[in-house]
Amino acid sequence: MIPNPQFNNLPLSFWAHVRSLSQSLGYTIRGTGDVRTHSISQISEGMSRLGLATQHIIDENKKPSPLGQLLVDYFTFRADVLNTNVRNHLMDKTKAEEVFEGLKSTLNPKCPLPMNKQKGDKKKPAFLTGIVNILIEQHSQSCPVNYDPRQLTTIVLNNEPIRTMARRVDGAFPSAINPIAIWEIKEYYYTKTFGSRVADGVYETLLDGLELDELEKSERIKVLHYLFVDDYFTWWTCGKSYLCRLIDIMHMGYVDEIIFGQEVLERLPILVREWCVKNTLHKV
């Protein structure tokens, strides 16, 4: 999923409103579990609950200001894309295993196919990671790929490091040194609750995005940043509020694209071919 251009390049004050209102009004509808939309009157009520001003959002005739209407539009968009598009793309472990095994048997990959970190009967291949790796290998046109960087992502200029990121990422193209693209994979097929480890993954993505945003603004160096997420139970049944946060983070510009579940099958081959073109141009 790519960001909606209508909500790109908005000031941080807009996102302060989004976060505050999401806190005040809630993320989901009790009973149905669907992600909420918010009318202008509900937005005004939400601001009042927090003891915040409303006159910049709604006038005395109950008409929304441009900011008020933009908030209504964003909450409507966020709810619609999650309730329909994202929900339908998320896989459970049975579907993910089926897709993984199908790709593995058809393409006979040579790339790493790591195991998950579970024990006993739950010890299985990391299905989404395997799917991502297989598709990248299949479409990378023999370009180098680092499927498991065991070093910090570093931007080097004139043979000197100018930025080194705080965390290791799950993959880099073509390498962790001066990458064109980096990615994180958040798959939780065997979790039974939405624990702190899952929540931490969202904030790790935000941290990476903040560092990359500073790099682009200060040095005019763009590194593409992707997030792959999956598991219907973890993200949809238990974690819809964090899905909302992910959509917010993407539109704030801190991740270029979030790929949900089986969306990877159509979208990743296109992205990898684009990376290869960029890699060729960098060598010229």
Side-chain angles (χ1 to χ4, degrees), residues 106 140 160 231:
T106 301
S140 60
E160 297 179 5
D231 184 49

Side-chain angles (χ1 to χ4, degrees), residues 170-225:
D170 289 331
F173 179 95
S175 77
I177 306 299
N178 291 341
I180 289 170
I182 60 173
W183 57 91
E184 283 284 307
I185 302 172
K186 307 297 183 186
E187 55 177 297
Y188 302 108
Y189 298 114
Y190 290 93
T191 58
K192 295 182 179 180
T193 60
F194 195 96
S196 60
R197 185 171 68 89
V198 185
D200 287 348
V202 175
Y203 301 125
E204 289 167 359
T205 298
L206 176 58
L207 170 62
D208 294 340
L210 286 165
E211 290 193 288
L212 293 172
D213 183 62
E214 186 279 330
L215 170 68
E216 183 175 9
K217 288 176 178 176
S218 297
E219 304 293 338
R220 298 184 180 180
I221 295 173
K222 173 66 176 174
V223 176
L224 295 167
H225 182 206

Side-chain angles (χ1 to χ4, degrees), residues 104-163:
K104 182 181 176 183
S105 63
T106 301
L107 300 177
N108 191 27
K110 304 297 187 295
C111 60
L113 300 176
M115 303 295 286
N116 63 26
K117 297 179 181 179
Q118 302 292 326
K119 298 179 180 179
D121 294 341
K122 295 181 180 179
K123 188 71 173 178
K124 299 275 188 177
F127 299 132
L128 184 59
T129 300
I131 292 167
V132 167
N133 289 359
I134 291 170
L135 290 173
I136 290 176
E137 180 185 61
Q138 177 69 15
H139 296 278
S140 60
Q141 305 170 23
S142 300
C143 291
V145 181
N146 192 332
Y147 295 99
D148 183 21
R150 296 179 181 270
Q151 64 185 107
L152 298 175
T153 303
T154 302
I155 305 302
V156 175
L157 190 63
N158 298 323
N159 209 33
E160 297 179 5
I162 60 170
R163 295 292 188 282

Side-chain angles (χ1 to χ4, degrees), residues 28 30 38 53 69 81 86 102 109 112 137 146 183 192 198 203 206 208 214 224 241 251-252 254 266 271:
T28 59
R30 186 172 298 176
H38 302 304
Q69 187 59 54
V81 78
V86 170
E137 180 185 61
N146 192 332
W183 57 91
K192 295 182 179 180
V198 185
Y203 301 125
L206 176 58
D208 294 340
E214 186 279 330
L224 295 167
S241 65
H251 284 89
M252 293 172 78
Y254 297 135
E266 293 184 3
L271 292 175

Side-chain angles (χ1 to χ4, degrees), residues 86-92 229-232 235-236 260-261:
V86 170
R87 180 179 188 175
N88 292 333
H89 277 123
L90 291 170
M91 300 183 286
D92 61 16
V229 302
D230 202 21
D231 184 49
Y232 185 95
W235 289 104
W236 185 257
F260 295 96

Side-chain angles (χ1 to χ4, degrees), residues 18-134:
V18 168
R19 286 176 171 176
S20 293
L21 287 164
S22 295
Q23 170 190 236
S24 177
L25 298 172
Y27 290 93
T28 59
I29 301 171
R30 186 172 298 176
T32 68
D34 287 344
V35 176
R36 286 182 178 274
T37 60
H38 302 304
S39 67
I40 191 61
S41 61
Q42 290 169 329
I43 288 172
S44 177
E45 179 184 350
M47 294 290 284
S48 295
R49 285 183 195 170
L50 296 170
L52 298 173
T54 61
Q55 62 268 24
H56 64 299
I57 289 176
I58 188 171
D59 66 20
E60 58 187 14
N61 296 316
K62 308 301 181 183
K63 298 294 185 181
S65 68
L67 172 59
Q69 187 59 54
L70 192 61
L71 286 165
V72 171
D73 292 345
Y74 179 71
F75 285 124
T76 300
F77 163 77
R78 189 176 74 176
D80 182 63
V81 78
L82 287 172
N83 289 331
T84 55
N85 184 293
V86 170
R87 180 179 188 175
N88 292 333
H89 277 123
L90 291 170
M91 300 183 286
D92 61 16
K93 61 179 178 292
T94 301
K95 178 63 176 178
E97 183 172 15
E98 176 187 321
V99 172
F100 168 77
E101 292 295 346
L103 290 172
K104 182 181 176 183
S105 63
T106 301
L107 300 177
N108 191 27
K110 304 297 187 295
C111 60
L113 300 176
M115 303 295 286
N116 63 26
K117 297 179 181 179
Q118 302 292 326
K119 298 179 180 179
D121 294 341
K122 295 181 180 179
K123 188 71 173 178
K124 299 275 188 177
F127 299 132
L128 184 59
T129 300
I131 292 167
V132 167
N133 289 359
I134 291 170

